[in-house]
Amino acid sequence: MQKAMQTGLIVAIILAILTIVEYVFAVNFDHDTIRFIGLSFAAFGKAALIVYYFMHVYRLWRVEEAH
Amino acid sequence: MHALKSVAGAAGLGMIGFYLGLGFVAVLRAMLGYPDAWGGEINIVGGYVLGVIGWLMGIGMWGTWSREWFGLKTYQRQAPGWQRYFTFNTDHKVIGIQYLVTFVVVFLLAGTIALGMRLELASSGMQFISHSQYNGAMGLHGILMIAVAVASVIGGTGNYAVPLMIGADDMAFPRLNALTFWLIPPVAVALLATPFLGGIETGWTAYPPLSTTTNSSQILFDLAIITFGLTSILGGLNFLITIIFMRAPGMTWGRLPIFVWSMFVTSWLALLYTQGFAVALLMIMLDRVAGMAFFNAEAGGDPLLYQHVFWFYSHPAVYIMVIPGFGIALEVISHFSRKPLFAYRYAVGAFLGILGLSGVVWAHHMFTSGMPNYLHGPFLVATELISIPTGLVFLSALGTIWMGKLWLQTPMLFAMAVIFNFACGGVTGIFLADVPTDIHLHDTYFVVAHFHYTIVGGEIFALFAGIYYWFPKMTGRMYNETLAKLHFWWMFIGFNLTFFTMHLPGVKGMNRRVADFPESLDNLNMLVSISGWLLGLSFLVFIYNMINAWIRGPVAESNPWRARTLEWQVSSPPPHENFPEQPVIKGHPYDYGVPGSVHGVFPNAIASAPAAGTAGGGQ
Amino acid sequence: MRTAAAAEWGATARSFSLAGQGAQVLHVRHLITAGLLWVVLTAVGELLVIADLYPTVGSHEAQDFDDIFRFLLLLGVPVMTFVFAVLIYAGLQFRIRTAVPAEDGPAMRGHGWFPRAWLAVTGCLAIFVMIYPGLTGLAELQQGDRGASGWGDQDAEVIIKASAFKWQWLFEYPDGTQVSVAAGKELVLPNETSIKFEINAIDVVHSLWIPAFRMKIDAIPGRTTYVTVKPNKLGDYASDQAYRVQCAELCGLDHAAMMFPIRVVEPGEFQSWLASLNQGGN
Amino acid sequence: MAVVAPTETYHAVHDHLKLNRAGLWLFFFSECVLFGLLLSARFFLEGIERGELDQLLGLGITIILLLSSVTAFTAETAIEHDNRKLANWGLIATIALGVLFTGGVAYEWSIAHFHRNEAFGTLFFTMTGIHASHVVSGIGILVLVWVQFLRGRYSSKDHWPLAGAVMYWHFVDVVWVFFYPALYLVK
């Protein structure tokens, strides 16, 4: 329980930091293409974190006991 | 009368829901201070949504499923005999037959509309109907036939045969399966109501800005097709999970019957691309009811946005229609040639190749749309490439019949006709994929002939192959072979006369979707009309044969075609749970002529019977 | 097997082997006969190539279209007749005459060289058609492309502005003369002159199509598309209905009637016609 | 009309959890196309141009939705370990944050500087509207699950409805991960 919660919270903190970085970067940076690419990378990174750690995509191919 | 109670109750609840929704939106609009509280299209939207919910609850979804969401105990009403076809039944065999019968009826209806159109088109000038009526008839014919093409084979034969062929007792989500069927009647009602609101003026493609400014029938069209898309997506999802997870032990991907493979690929297409049609029509709806500006060029919108989103679905849609057709054709051809399916792996690869390429070819419908010039080249290349996997389907079919022991029963005739017709449809496709020829041919009767060759010739013929092939399994009775062969030859000749001739006015300069045309095309059109009527009348034989056989046909054996796949190893019709016990798969389904080969066995079958426990032994 | 009928079938089925010398000979004979059928069907089918299926050739672009169409027919017919020949031959020659099949066919699985060769041949054919006439024709249609949407050279000798609206056409010549149903009643074009139509739509999507010229491009609200044609033959709508501007994109009620007659005249006559129209007070 | 329980057959041995989970993922794939097309439409029509938006409000609702994902995760992890109390609070917090997010979007709509009959307004209202409709349906599902939870259902052995609802919630969050920069930050 504690370990699972810990992982989740660490991921959440990374997501929060990424969101803030995204925001600060976008508001203060003035090159359209680079900003677009940077934001896309951040978005895909965040999505991957959520899909893996929050949505547990690996459970699709991992055999486990029913719950 | 359980059936009457079920349907009438559902219709009543649906009506109540419809008026509640209508009124609810009206009250909301009155409160927000809109001048005309009752007259908006948004009222229709509200009424439709609540109407559909009421209909579903009434037909039995409440008891079978929804109660569970609120923590109540679910129950299922079991109606006896034929009456179960009118209830929220979760048996995939019942749902398959529900789909088939519904869409055969819709097919005949839309075909009748086409006959009316051909009557008007028999000669130039306006004879029987007005331009407005013609456009409405054409739109209705188009969208109803699209619905038939998308749902009849997948929902009908797919639902019936796939769980049986992979050795499963039902689909993965039986209640979802029932839901996908019972969403169809509201779709049909909404589409058939369009003439009362002025008729679909835009054809089934509904290009804006025409569709954002036309009469209110457009809103019914949008709602109906979004619902229909939902059934398509949920059906595809259900098939995918069923095929991935519920195959019998030993049914490896390499032993999957080719029809199941085709359904697998089709389900991916339906799952992924159908959202495109929904989004496109949603945008039209928002433009209409919410005053948005997706397609309003003056406000920064772009009509081409619709065409991109729409064709992003609607090109893959033709593969949604045709791949199951190929699946049935190859399946039937192998069993009736008494030979293994030739180049099985290549045929599967062909389906997967089409799946991969289908998402990157859509703009070949837009070569004359005025899209930016640099887009033409890539889409031309991708479109031509897709003919390579299609060619492999021909390899498989022709290789299988070559040197076979061809048993030319009706299903086989229809399956061979699929290959015959699609050869023509495929070759004419090259003319439309190459930009230099497409510029002239686009939006002419050449295109109409081409897609009728692919969809009717490729899929509807396969649908009939499937109906005749599985009819004894579904009903437990045998149809009249002579009448069936008469139907085949009548339909085959009528079809080829109609649609081969139809290429000519197209090249000569007759554009599609017109109620009138230059007099110089009179002779060709008269020929097409006469052939079209010939084709149309052939279905009378079919109807008579089917009804007659279902009611008093001779009792069918469990395996009249001597086929090896699992569905033929159980009684006709199969028991409720499909198989008395779990079948185990030992070999390839098409190993005809291979001594000692078996497809599946029932491990606990009574040992005293000859060839004990083998399912589909080929010896 | 679970049923009596199926069990009976299992007992009567016999396997068939290709190993025998006789079967091999038989196979070759089948191949030759079916091949002959293919040749005959192709010979008949290729009559389509020389048949006159087309409307009047009214422009250089139309000539190109007809040539490419014929070329594709030339290639496409044998592909089609190959399928027809195999189907017809197999249907006649390999069918069983008993009530139910008594034996299985040979277990040809299609491994080995044949599917690969098929893949190679069909692949080459597809790529060939893709390059010629597809990409080469496209390059020709888009020469002088400067990022706009349309067909043909953008530097034409006469530029006509075309407006499409429900359910009429309005054309404007370079000197400002307009023709429509109300004025002029026909679109007169000079022969052997490159003419560029700059097209836009007022209300909904339309499409400008001239069958005699084999050219078509949509008219879209908010964009200007263009198409350039060079007529090569005198003609007019009254004597040849291919000489018409036809709306080819469904645009509502009177879509079918949305057409406009064309007359192609010698350049000198074109100038005097334009002058006479201007004097007429338009 | 006879009322009978669904028949049990040999396929009762099928792992229904696996089917349900995979089915939900397939549903997400399909939804990805829906949202992907809306995103494509946004860049097709407007490039990276955008209307005037309240940046702090955007950041605020983004963080609210992210927090709700954390509480949803908490609820699922808690029920997996039979910690009912924490699961209860996780569900309540998720629902509350979801409502707060919806309120934020509604407020954003009411103060928007653009109208829905211009291109950016069309895109903004459509994209946030369709996303918000998913949030609202997510709230609805969570409330249904919560009511079941309060009645004492779900345990570490059997809590698929809760897990599925939470997965859906996370998916809605993933969509916003893409929509937020595409609407607020690209220019």
Side-chain angles (χ1 to χ4, degrees):
Chain A
M1 169 84 191
Q2 208 162 16
K3 192 161 163 280
M5 277 309 295
Q6 235 165 31
T7 323
L9 286 178
I10 291 170
V11 173
I13 290 166
I14 299 174
L15 286 171
I17 293 173
L18 268 174
T19 309
I20 305 288
V21 168
E22 217 180 9
Y23 174 77
V24 174
F25 168 73
V27 171
N28 295 309
F29 198 78
D30 220 26
H31 189 290
D32 286 351
T33 319
I34 294 180
R35 184 176 47 215
F36 184 82
I37 292 169
L39 287 175
S40 309
F41 267 104
F44 276 107
K46 283 163 72 181
L49 285 175
I50 297 176
V51 165
Y52 194 84
Y53 287 103
F54 284 178
M55 296 170 79
H56 310 295
V57 66
Y58 49 84
R59 285 181 183 164
L60 269 180
W61 50 84
R62 187 176 293 175
V63 184
E64 51 167 353
E65 74 283 15
H67 66 231
Chain B
M1 285 297 278
H2 301 134
L4 193 70
K5 226 162 79 183
S6 165
V7 173
L13 266 186
M15 277 311 239
I16 294 171
F18 179 76
Y19 286 111
L20 269 181
L22 220 61
F24 179 68
V25 176
V27 169
L28 219 60
R29 275 163 68 91
M31 273 163 53
L32 291 172
Y34 285 90
D36 181 11
W38 284 95
E41 284 181 349
I42 185 93
N43 295 64
I44 303 181
V45 178
Y48 179 85
V49 171
L50 285 196
V52 170
I53 293 173
W55 161 262
L56 287 176
M57 294 299 139
I59 202 72
M61 193 175 150
W62 170 251
T64 317
W65 195 355
S66 307
R67 285 173 61 93
E68 190 178 299
W69 308 338
F70 301 94
L72 305 169
K73 237 181 143 49
T74 57
Y75 56 85
Q76 200 162 359
R77 298 193 181 280
Q78 301 287 83
W82 61 271
Q83 301 196 39
R84 66 185 189 278
Y85 294 107
F86 295 89
T87 58
F88 196 84
N89 195 304
T90 55
D91 185 348
H92 73 99
K93 299 182 288 296
V94 173
I95 295 169
I97 291 172
Q98 283 172 333
Y99 260 109
L100 266 183
V101 173
T102 309
F103 280 102
V104 165
V105 171
V106 176
F107 173 79
L108 296 169
L109 185 71
T112 314
I113 297 174
L115 292 186
M117 285 154 63
R118 270 335 301 185
L119 207 60
E120 174 58 47
L121 287 174
S123 107
S124 57
M126 301 304 293
Q127 287 86 30
F128 306 102
I129 54 178
S130 67
H131 282 268
S132 148
Q133 286 165 331
Y134 182 88
N135 288 348
M138 174 202 68
L140 204 54
H141 167 76
I143 195 62
L144 289 178
M145 283 299 197
I146 292 288
V148 170
V150 168
S152 59
V153 173
I154 302 177
T157 54
N159 245 320
Y160 194 91
V162 164
L164 282 163
M165 287 172 106
I166 63 174
D169 64 337
D170 204 327
M171 299 281 279
F173 306 116
R175 294 178 297 190
L176 190 69
N177 204 13
L179 169 69
T180 61
F181 173 74
W182 285 109
L183 277 172
I184 300 289
V187 173
V189 169
L191 286 177
L192 293 176
T194 53
F196 301 104
L197 288 180
I200 304 165
E201 204 183 13
T202 56
W204 78 276
T205 51
Y207 275 17
L210 179 61
S211 54
T212 53
T213 51
T214 182
N215 58 52
S216 288
S217 66
Q218 184 65 39
I219 207 79
L220 281 182
F221 176 90
D222 297 348
L223 290 165
I225 298 309
I226 289 173
T227 318
F228 187 65
L230 184 67
T231 72
S232 213
I233 291 168
L234 296 178
L237 188 155
N238 211 343
F239 277 116
L240 283 175
I241 299 295
T242 309
I243 296 172
I244 294 172
F245 292 106
M246 294 180 65
R247 284 166 291 139
M251 180 69 89
T252 58
W253 290 101
R255 288 170 178 169
L256 213 53
I258 196 75
F259 176 62
V260 180
W261 262 114
S262 75
M263 287 300 304
F264 180 72
V265 168
T266 305
S267 301
W268 275 112
L269 288 168
L271 182 83
L272 293 180
Y273 293 108
T274 311
Q275 294 280 7
F277 207 171
V279 171
L281 293 180
L282 185 72
M283 287 172 173
I284 288 182
M285 260 173 60
L286 289 172
D287 268 20
R288 289 183 72 95
V289 303
M292 291 197 177
F294 280 108
F295 310 124
N296 182 353
E298 282 157 29
D302 189 346
L304 280 191
L305 170 65
Y306 176 86
Q307 299 184 21
H308 280 293
V309 177
F310 171 80
W311 288 115
F312 180 73
Y313 162 73
S314 293
H315 193 75
V318 307
Y319 300 113
I320 294 177
M321 299 166 196
V322 132
I323 287 180
F326 285 158
I328 292 182
L330 293 181
E331 182 80 34
V332 167
I333 282 177
S334 174
H335 296 311
F336 286 77
S337 298
R338 314 299 309 168
K339 272 184 68 198
L341 186 66
F342 192 76
Y344 170 87
R345 280 160 188 272
Y346 286 83
V348 172
F351 290 161
L352 294 175
I354 294 174
L355 170 65
L357 280 171
S358 64
V360 292
V361 298
W362 77 87
H364 67 228
H365 293 266
M366 299 168 62
F367 281 151
T368 66
S369 72
M371 67 178 178
N373 276 355
Y374 60 84
L375 286 175
H376 293 89
F379 281 103
L380 185 156
V381 168
T383 307
E384 296 282 10
L385 283 181
I386 219 163
S387 65
I388 299 173
T390 315
L392 290 177
V393 176
F394 285 94
L395 165 74
S396 190
L398 299 181
T400 309
I401 59 171
W402 188 253
M403 305 291 287
K405 303 283 167 208
L406 267 60
W407 192 19
L408 294 182
Q409 297 296 90
T410 314
M412 180 61 166
L413 290 173
F414 272 103
M416 287 171 78
V418 168
I419 303 303
F420 184 97
N421 297 333
F422 205 86
C424 187
V427 166
T428 51
I430 301 288
F431 295 82
L432 299 170
D434 265 0
V435 179
T437 35
D438 182 61
I439 294 177
H440 176 60
L441 299 173
H442 180 80
D443 264 335
T444 64
Y445 261 77
F446 191 89
V447 176
V448 180
H450 161 73
F451 72 69
H452 280 88
Y453 254 103
T454 53
I455 305 301
V456 183
E459 196 207 355
I460 300 301
F461 272 75
L463 171 68
F464 282 108
I467 290 177
Y468 282 113
Y469 180 56
W470 282 299
F471 185 84
K473 183 55 63 184
M474 289 174 178
T475 60
R477 291 176 183 274
M478 201 62 192
Y479 57 83
N480 182 318
E481 184 66 32
T482 315
L483 282 177
K485 282 197 170 123
L486 173 70
H487 168 220
F488 168 76
W489 285 109
W490 193 342
M491 178 173 161
F492 180 72
I493 292 168
F495 168 80
N496 276 289
L497 274 180
T498 310
F499 291 105
F500 193 82
T501 319
M502 200 183 267
H503 289 104
L504 302 176
V507 185
K508 285 260 189 213
M510 178 166 168
N511 47 327
R512 62 192 276 211
R513 299 174 153 175
V514 288
D516 195 10
F517 50 86
E519 307 88 75
S520 54
L521 300 167
D522 268 354
N523 292 341
L524 285 171
N525 274 296
M526 180 57 89
L527 197 57
V528 174
S529 284
I530 293 172
S531 321
W533 271 81
L534 186 71
L535 170 63
L537 293 177
S538 71
F539 297 109
L540 294 178
V541 183
F542 169 74
I543 300 168
Y544 170 77
N545 196 2
M546 289 295 112
I547 294 177
N548 192 43
W550 205 338
I551 295 170
R552 50 173 175 270
V555 173
E557 332 164 20
S558 64
N559 190 0
W561 310 123
R562 317 289 191 260
R564 293 167 48 103
T565 39
L566 286 178
E567 80 269 33
W568 299 106
Q569 315 312 327
V570 289
S571 61
S572 297
H576 174 71
E577 62 279 11
N578 285 357
F579 300 98
E581 59 167 306
Q582 174 79 67
V584 176
I585 308 304
K586 297 287 188 195
H588 208 271
Y590 304 115
D591 274 348
Y592 292 101
V594 179
S597 70
V598 285
H599 175 44
V601 296
F602 295 100
N604 303 319
I606 314 113
S608 62
T614 62
Q619 206 187 15
Chain C
M1 215 163 275
R2 314 203 117 260
T3 65
E8 190 188 319
W9 158 243
T12 52
R14 283 193 305 277
S15 66
F16 179 96
S17 159
L18 253 189
Q21 192 68 29
Q24 289 285 1
V25 173
L26 204 62
H27 195 171
V28 171
R29 194 180 299 156
H30 285 312
L31 281 177
I32 293 172
T33 330
L36 282 174
L37 181 63
W38 180 27
V39 171
V40 172
L41 285 177
T42 308
V44 175
E46 295 287 5
L47 292 177
L48 277 175
V49 179
I50 51 173
D52 179 26
L53 308 168
Y54 319 93
T56 313
V57 179
S59 74
H60 293 279
E61 291 78 12
Q63 192 57 57
D64 292 346
F65 168 87
D66 287 9
D67 292 345
I68 294 175
F69 193 94
R70 287 201 173 92
F71 179 74
L72 287 177
L73 264 183
L74 192 71
L75 289 183
V77 165
V79 174
M80 209 157 79
T81 51
F82 177 80
V83 177
F84 290 177
V86 175
L87 283 171
I88 294 170
Y89 185 80
L92 294 174
Q93 201 62 40
F94 300 137
R95 72 189 155 129
I96 56 165
R97 281 149 221 277
T98 44
V100 291
E103 56 179 4
D104 288 349
M108 297 152 59
R109 288 171 189 282
H111 299 156
W113 64 274
F114 187 72
R116 279 176 223 155
W118 178 281
L119 199 55
V121 171
T122 53
C124 287
L125 209 58
I127 290 169
F128 178 76
V129 176
M130 176 202 307
I131 294 171
Y132 179 83
L135 290 175
T136 54
L138 182 65
E140 201 167 311
L141 280 162
Q142 294 183 340
Q143 57 180 321
D145 170 31
R146 290 197 296 269
S149 310
W151 309 119
D153 198 347
Q154 293 202 54
D155 302 309
E157 294 160 76
V158 177
I159 295 177
I160 300 178
K161 291 200 169 77
S163 298
F165 52 95
K166 286 180 183 172
W167 292 275
Q168 293 294 331
W169 294 96
L170 177 73
F171 298 93
E172 187 181 324
Y173 287 92
D175 64 349
T177 312
Q178 293 188 340
V179 297
S180 66
V181 165
K185 293 193 171 47
E186 63 178 346
L187 181 68
V188 176
L189 302 174
N191 197 14
E192 291 295 350
T193 311
S194 64
I195 302 155
K196 180 181 165 195
F197 291 94
E198 287 182 354
I199 304 146
N200 65 67
I202 312 287
D203 40 29
V204 302
V205 179
H206 301 270
S207 185
L208 180 138
W209 179 40
I210 305 166
F213 298 166
R214 317 279 195 279
M215 273 292 168
K216 178 184 293 140
I217 193 92
D218 281 8
I220 313 163
R223 292 178 186 226
T224 302
T225 53
Y226 72 92
V227 58
T228 306
V229 290
K230 193 170 180 185
N232 66 357
K233 194 171 172 213
L234 302 184
D236 63 296
Y237 179 72
S239 57
D240 187 344
Q241 291 172 328
Y243 281 90
R244 68 182 201 276
V245 175
Q246 174 76 54
C247 178
E249 187 63 68
L250 182 60
C251 55
L253 182 64
D254 273 338
H255 165 61
M258 185 169 165
M259 69 87 161
F260 201 75
I262 289 182
R263 182 155 57 101
V264 178
V265 298
E266 293 298 350
E269 197 184 330
F270 170 69
Q271 292 300 340
S272 56
W273 172 83
L274 210 54
S276 74
L277 208 62
N278 278 329
Q279 278 159 13
N282 285 295
Chain D
M1 195 173 286
V3 176
V4 300
T7 46
E8 293 285 315
T9 63
Y10 59 85
H11 272 305
V13 298
H14 270 300
D15 186 352
H16 273 282
L17 177 67
K18 204 169 185 169
L19 304 191
N20 289 338
R21 182 181 287 144
L24 194 57
W25 274 100
L26 285 186
F27 178 70
F28 294 157
F29 285 175
S30 186
E31 291 271 279
C32 280
V33 179
L34 164 75
F35 291 112
L37 284 170
L38 288 173
L39 266 180
S40 313
R42 184 254 182 278
F43 291 113
F44 182 92
L45 282 186
E46 285 288 84
I48 59 167
E49 299 297 322
R50 67 172 178 83
E52 198 191 330
L53 286 160
D54 189 336
Q55 284 294 347
L56 281 178
L57 182 57
L59 187 63
I61 58 173
T62 306
I63 287 176
I64 288 172
L65 198 59
L66 182 63
L67 271 180
S68 79
S69 249
V70 178
T71 54
F73 173 80
T74 309
E76 194 195 353
T77 313
I79 198 71
E80 273 171 12
H81 294 84
D82 281 323
N83 186 340
R84 298 189 63 82
K85 201 175 159 199
L86 188 60
N88 188 22
W89 283 112
L91 284 174
I92 292 172
T94 310
I95 293 166
L97 287 167
V99 172
L100 201 59
F101 175 86
T102 318
V105 173
Y107 179 65
E108 176 92 77
W109 281 25
S110 67
I111 61 160
H113 296 280
F114 37 76
H115 193 258
R116 61 174 188 272
N117 64 10
E118 53 196 281
F120 185 77
T122 296
L123 290 163
F124 182 82
F125 289 120
T126 306
M127 289 168 73
T128 53
I130 291 182
H131 179 263
S133 71
H134 280 75
V135 172
V136 170
S137 58
I139 293 172
I141 296 168
L142 282 171
V143 168
L144 284 179
V145 167
W146 185 50
V147 170
Q148 300 298 305
F149 175 85
L150 289 183
R151 289 187 185 174
R153 281 190 63 188
Y154 309 141
S155 65
S156 58
K157 294 268 172 281
D158 169 30
H159 61 268
W160 163 249
L162 195 153
V166 167
M167 255 168 87
Y168 181 76
W169 192 259
H170 289 312
F171 173 73
V172 176
D173 193 25
V174 170
V175 173
W176 190 250
V177 162
F178 289 94
F179 274 24
Y180 170 60
L183 288 172
Y184 285 82
L185 299 180
V186 284
K187 179 117 188 163

